[in-house]
Amino acid sequence: MDFRLTFRDTHSSARAGMLTTDHGEIETPVFMPVGTAGAVKALHIKELREDVGAQIMLGNTYHLYLRPGTDTIEKAGGLHKFNGWKKPILTDSGGYQIYSLADIRKFTEDGVIFQSHIDGSRHFFTPEKAIDIQRSLGADIIMAFDECTPYPCDHHYATKSMHRTHRWLNRCVEHFNKGKSFYGHSQSLFPIVQGSVYKDLRSQSAEYIAGINADGNAIGGLSVGEPADIMYEITDTVCKILPEEKPRYLMGVGTPANILECISLGIDMFDCVIPTRNGRNGMLFTRNGIMNIKNIKWKDDFSPIEEEGEVFTDTGYSKAYLRHLYVSKEILAAMIATIHNLGFYMWLMREARKKIIEGNFAGWKDVMVKRLMQRL
Amino acid sequence: MDFRLTFRDTHSSARAGMLTTDHGEIETPVFMPVGTAGAVKALHIKELREDVGAQIMLGNTYHLYLRPGTDTIEKAGGLHKFNGWKKPILTDSGGYQIYSLADIRKFTEDGVIFQSHIDGSRHFFTPEKAIDIQRSLGADIIMAFDECTPYPCDHHYATKSMHRTHRWLNRCVEHFNKGKSFYGHSQSLFPIVQGSVYKDLRSQSAEYIAGINADGNAIGGLSVGEPADIMYEITDTVCKILPEEKPRYLMGVGTPANILECISLGIDMFDCVIPTRNGRNGMLFTRNGIMNIKNIKWKDDFSPIEEEGEVFTDTGYSKAYLRHLYVSKEILAAMIATIHNLGFYMWLMREARKKIIEGNFAGWKDVMVKRLMQRL
């Protein structure tokens, strides 16, 4: 994996770069659509490629390990072969889902015993196992096994948890370095900064992570309920410590405004379920603000979903028709909103990159943050 | 509307024709995908046009009347404008859905008082109202308001019901002839033969309907639970009476085998929820038979869904991946199966038409009926 920074904004810490993997190049800043079970919900792989124009997709280790299981994915030749997505894939480590979805039975220095949210079966994840599974999935970017602390979280627990995350990271790195790719393409391991909302811990963790000298670095444990200002402060603190020349990935963030703000702080990579999950629930992001498409006000509005939109759904369907599909609980509603919202996120990232290159990102960002979050 | 019979099979009653409407031509025999609420479930309008290659879609009057309501659809400029489907649309009369979905409060000579299955609101449908709603929807083909008798149904009730359907038909015709199209394109009214499984009643009804001299004629009240042999017998009886030079539409039929058998009896038009509804439940129709894609036997079968299939889903996804999507309850599973099954039905109709034109339909049909219904 190679990362080249091509432009730096002079009025903010925003950067434009190019990340090169064996499955192709990724222009940064980049948003990675979430394909939990190996598919972005309500979207064809072909649409992700051709209509949305995604550069990389994310898969969830926890879900894919439970279903279909690494055995099937290995027989398929890895996740790329299994789902037909030929561009880069990033997988999380499973940690976050174990904490949020599974029933944890026992938490030890060695790892976590949990019960599947699907069938109650028992499983044991360790840092080594999280690496093995991601090797088996064939992810281009593998995430270290960490503990994502909840919010709020007291300083004592956050400290203890951060140190365990660092010890687990050491085991991940060691195990990763001993192993090799199953399918011939190269894989990179990204460590994750933790430390909750505490600047002292975050600085300490960022320095620890910077010392690993990995291909890229991630910030976890944010956007878990804390106020946005705190998220920005912590992100800023951490970005100032993480190496300039490596990509920075802010996990699980966020709204269009969150993303623009964090780009300006020096983040290069994002993932979030907001465009897909909120879309399925009727929240549409547009260049002029946010629509709750289920609202009665759209009942007889036959104008396109988004006149300036670049995806076929934006001009191919009206607001009134999409509202009708939601009210009628039609699957097509979720399909349209998914393409629309992801198409919008991709447009937003391309615009942000263009503005960084043109040198007018900061001013544009301030205007957009206000505009994009207003309610239509 | 114009209908020209271009080829007749010499070994069966199968025919190939061309139906011309103001929204374009339809090659027959034709299968019409069901778009209940103005959308084929789990399918983009664009996919219906480009990937499935449908020539005409069906809309349900009962559903569209309740949601979004004729007021909204009229403001949009008709159903074509509302959903963006530019080819012909056929709407049913609402009768069948009132009997199968709504709670009927009162059934009189004048019409039916029923409660909506959505919110319990009360509504009154008469033959005149069914015509008015379909005028408002802007359907190219409007169906008469009938009573679809259940199976089994005693001869006494079937006789009484048939006569009422005929009296209602007279009111439909009179009201239809007094009215005119809302949107400038021409609309045709198709009457419906009833009479349950009784040949004497079906003959009587077919003669009555033939006497109407409509642009096309339909057969209703079949495929409601009776054995397939009885359905074929009744269809045969009715086809022999209905005029040769008008299209014949068998409502709500059926499986690939049902359709091929009924083409051979002289049917030109079909609609059915089987490819879409059964698809959403994991039943895939292929050139070699029927797959229950949820079956464990497909778990590690990485071959394409259908190697010879013409739709992008057929070769773009593997059986194992599609099975995984079903097991994981992913929306994408329904999306893939819908395109696949409708694509298969369209292929089957094109093949049938080609065989009729080539003069070897009957022999091909016998081979296909066996092959298509075997379990893979």
Side-chain angles (χ1 to χ4, degrees):
Chain A
M1 169 176 292
D2 174 62
F3 183 62
R4 274 173 304 122
L5 271 181
T6 40
F7 291 91
R8 283 161 209 257
D9 187 29
T10 44
H11 305 287
S12 75
S13 300
R15 325 104 63 83
M18 181 75 81
L19 188 62
T20 306
T21 75
D22 284 356
H23 283 100
E25 296 191 323
I26 300 163
E27 292 185 335
T28 63
V30 64
F31 180 82
M32 308 183 282
V34 178
T36 302
V40 174
K41 291 190 193 304
L43 194 73
H44 284 290
I45 293 288
K46 177 176 180 265
E47 292 171 328
L48 186 64
R49 185 178 65 236
E50 296 175 12
D51 297 306
V52 169
Q55 304 186 76
I56 171 171
M57 82 180 276
L58 191 142
N60 285 123
T61 288
Y62 170 83
H63 288 88
L64 291 164
Y65 161 80
L66 292 176
R67 255 186 339 212
T70 49
D71 184 52
T72 290
I73 291 184
E74 274 181 44
K75 282 183 194 155
L79 185 54
H80 288 90
K81 288 270 168 57
F82 186 58
N83 72 5
W85 175 252
K86 294 179 172 57
K87 294 187 183 183
I89 292 175
L90 179 149
T91 48
D92 65 4
S93 67
Y96 183 76
Q97 268 76 29
I98 291 175
Y99 305 124
S100 59
L101 292 177
D103 187 13
I104 295 180
R105 308 309 296 179
K106 209 174 167 192
F107 201 112
T108 68
E109 179 62 23
D110 197 28
V112 190
I113 297 173
F114 63 92
Q115 284 189 293
S116 157
H117 74 292
I118 298 166
D119 62 4
S121 56
R122 283 185 183 227
H123 304 272
F124 185 46
F125 263 32
T126 61
E128 292 79 9
K129 178 139 183 184
I131 299 296
D132 287 340
I133 297 169
Q134 293 178 85
R135 284 283 195 199
S136 155
L137 297 176
D140 297 271
I141 300 174
I142 285 176
M143 301 306 299
F145 191 64
D146 64 340
E147 184 189 3
C148 175
T149 47
Y151 178 82
C153 172
D154 66 54
H155 192 277
H156 175 74
Y157 187 84
T159 310
K160 205 179 106 185
S161 168
M162 179 196 73
H163 287 303
R164 184 165 45 212
T165 284
H166 293 171
R167 290 193 298 277
W168 281 1
L169 172 60
N170 294 342
R171 288 166 57 188
C172 283
V173 170
E174 193 183 343
H175 195 70
F176 178 81
N177 288 338
K178 280 194 304 201
K180 56 175 255 190
S181 167
F182 287 28
Y183 313 109
H185 63 268
S186 74
Q187 297 178 292
S188 293
L189 173 67
F190 281 23
I192 303 170
V193 174
Q194 289 288 352
S196 186
V197 294
Y198 304 105
K199 278 196 186 176
D200 60 328
L201 298 182
R202 286 287 182 174
S203 298
Q204 201 181 329
S205 186
E207 271 155 24
Y208 193 88
I209 266 57
I212 298 290
N213 196 27
D215 288 342
N217 300 294
I219 308 173
L222 288 178
S223 202
V224 292
E226 79 284 358
D229 285 351
I230 295 184
M231 171 171 71
Y232 300 148
E233 258 185 65
I234 297 293
T235 299
D236 190 32
T237 301
V238 172
C239 280
K240 287 190 168 114
I241 298 170
L242 291 179
E244 278 270 313
E245 69 283 6
K246 299 291 174 67
R248 301 180 188 129
Y249 164 30
L250 181 56
M251 304 180 78
V253 175
T255 64
N258 293 156
I259 288 178
L260 293 185
E261 293 294 2
C262 294
I263 287 175
S264 84
L265 300 173
I267 296 293
D268 308 294
M269 303 167 69
F270 299 88
D271 81 282
C272 192
V273 295
I274 283 181
T276 42
R277 181 179 295 164
N278 293 22
R280 293 197 301 281
N281 292 324
M283 182 186 273
L284 265 70
F285 297 95
T286 78
R287 292 165 202 220
N288 296 308
I290 298 170
M291 283 195 286
N292 170 5
I293 195 69
K294 292 182 192 171
N295 196 302
I296 188 89
K297 74 190 284 187
W298 311 115
K299 187 174 191 308
D300 292 333
D301 186 332
F302 303 108
S303 66
I305 294 173
E306 185 163 19
E307 187 75 59
E308 311 82 21
E310 289 164 10
V311 190
F312 76 88
T313 49
D314 301 353
T315 47
Y317 297 106
S318 70
K319 298 180 181 81
Y321 182 64
L322 181 55
R323 176 182 184 273
H324 161 66
L325 296 177
Y326 272 100
V327 173
S328 302
K329 299 181 175 58
E330 287 285 325
I331 291 173
L332 181 55
M335 294 162 57
I336 293 173
T338 299
I339 295 200
H340 168 80
N341 278 353
L342 286 179
F344 170 77
Y345 266 61
M346 295 300 137
W347 169 83
L348 187 65
M349 302 311 275
R350 284 195 305 273
E351 283 295 297
R353 192 170 199 276
K354 201 160 74 181
K355 300 295 175 187
I356 294 167
I357 292 171
E358 291 170 3
N360 50 13
F361 173 80
W364 172 81
K365 184 267 289 178
D366 288 340
V367 173
M368 291 304 276
V369 160
K370 285 199 197 85
R371 186 186 297 163
L372 299 180
M373 299 314 283
Q374 68 191 352
R375 295 279 167 166
L376 298 179
Chain B
M1 169 174 294
D2 174 62
F3 183 62
R4 273 172 305 120
L5 271 181
T6 40
F7 290 91
R8 283 160 211 255
D9 187 28
T10 44
H11 304 288
S12 75
S13 300
R15 323 103 65 82
M18 181 73 83
L19 187 63
T20 306
T21 75
D22 283 356
H23 283 100
E25 295 190 325
I26 300 163
E27 292 186 334
T28 64
V30 65
F31 180 82
M32 307 183 282
V34 178
T36 301
V40 174
K41 291 189 193 306
L43 195 73
H44 284 289
I45 293 288
K46 177 176 180 264
E47 293 170 327
L48 186 63
R49 185 177 65 235
E50 296 174 12
D51 297 305
V52 169
Q55 304 186 74
I56 171 170
M57 83 179 275
L58 190 142
N60 286 123
T61 288
Y62 169 84
H63 289 89
L64 291 164
Y65 161 80
L66 292 177
R67 254 187 342 212
T70 49
D71 185 50
T72 291
I73 292 184
E74 273 180 45
K75 283 183 194 153
L79 185 54
H80 289 90
K81 288 270 168 55
F82 186 58
N83 71 5
W85 174 252
K86 294 179 171 60
K87 295 188 184 183
I89 293 175
L90 179 149
T91 48
D92 65 4
S93 67
Y96 183 76
Q97 268 77 26
I98 291 176
Y99 306 125
S100 59
L101 292 177
D103 187 12
I104 294 180
R105 307 310 297 181
K106 207 171 168 198
F107 200 112
T108 67
E109 179 62 22
D110 197 27
V112 190
I113 297 173
F114 63 92
Q115 283 190 294
S116 156
H117 74 291
I118 298 165
D119 62 5
S121 56
R122 284 184 184 225
H123 304 272
F124 185 45
F125 262 34
T126 60
E128 292 78 10
K129 178 140 185 186
I131 298 298
D132 286 341
I133 297 169
Q134 294 178 83
R135 284 284 195 199
S136 153
L137 297 175
D140 297 271
I141 300 173
I142 286 176
M143 300 306 298
F145 191 64
D146 64 340
E147 184 189 1
C148 175
T149 48
Y151 178 82
C153 172
D154 66 54
H155 193 277
H156 175 73
Y157 187 84
T159 310
K160 205 179 108 184
S161 168
M162 178 194 75
H163 286 303
R164 185 166 45 212
T165 284
H166 292 172
R167 289 192 300 275
W168 281 1
L169 172 59
N170 293 342
R171 289 166 56 188
C172 284
V173 170
E174 193 184 344
H175 195 70
F176 178 81
N177 287 338
K178 280 194 305 202
K180 57 175 250 185
S181 167
F182 286 29
Y183 312 109
H185 64 268
S186 74
Q187 297 179 293
S188 293
L189 173 66
F190 281 23
I192 303 170
V193 174
Q194 289 288 352
S196 185
V197 294
Y198 305 105
K199 277 196 187 178
D200 60 327
L201 298 182
R202 286 288 182 173
S203 298
Q204 201 182 332
S205 186
E207 271 156 22
Y208 193 88
I209 266 60
I212 299 291
N213 196 28
D215 288 342
N217 300 293
I219 308 173
L222 289 179
S223 203
V224 291
E226 79 285 359
D229 285 350
I230 294 183
M231 171 172 68
Y232 300 148
E233 257 184 68
I234 297 294
T235 300
D236 190 33
T237 301
V238 172
C239 281
K240 287 192 168 112
I241 298 170
L242 291 179
E244 278 270 314
E245 69 283 5
K246 298 292 174 64
R248 300 178 188 131
Y249 164 29
L250 181 56
M251 305 180 78
V253 173
T255 64
N258 293 156
I259 288 177
L260 293 185
E261 293 294 2
C262 293
I263 288 175
S264 83
L265 300 172
I267 296 293
D268 308 293
M269 303 167 69
F270 299 88
D271 80 284
C272 193
V273 295
I274 283 181
T276 42
R277 181 179 296 164
N278 294 22
R280 292 197 301 280
N281 292 324
M283 182 186 274
L284 265 70
F285 297 96
T286 78
R287 292 164 202 221
N288 297 306
I290 297 170
M291 283 194 287
N292 171 4
I293 196 70
K294 293 183 192 170
N295 196 302
I296 188 87
K297 74 190 284 185
W298 310 115
K299 187 174 190 309
D300 292 334
D301 185 334
F302 303 108
S303 66
I305 294 172
E306 186 165 17
E307 187 74 61
E308 310 81 21
E310 290 163 10
V311 189
F312 76 89
T313 49
D314 301 353
T315 48
Y317 297 108
S318 70
K319 298 179 182 81
Y321 182 64
L322 181 55
R323 176 182 184 274
H324 162 66
L325 296 176
Y326 272 101
V327 173
S328 301
K329 299 183 176 57
E330 287 285 325
I331 291 174
L332 182 54
M335 293 162 58
I336 294 173
T338 298
I339 295 202
H340 168 80
N341 278 353
L342 285 179
F344 170 77
Y345 266 62
M346 295 300 137
W347 169 83
L348 187 65
M349 302 311 273
R350 286 196 303 273
E351 283 295 295
R353 190 170 200 275
K354 201 161 74 179
K355 299 297 175 185
I356 293 167
I357 292 170
E358 291 170 2
N360 50 12
F361 173 80
W364 173 81
K365 185 266 290 178
D366 288 341
V367 172
M368 291 303 276
V369 161
K370 284 199 197 85
R371 186 186 298 162
L372 299 180
M373 298 314 283
Q374 67 192 352
R375 296 278 165 167
L376 297 179

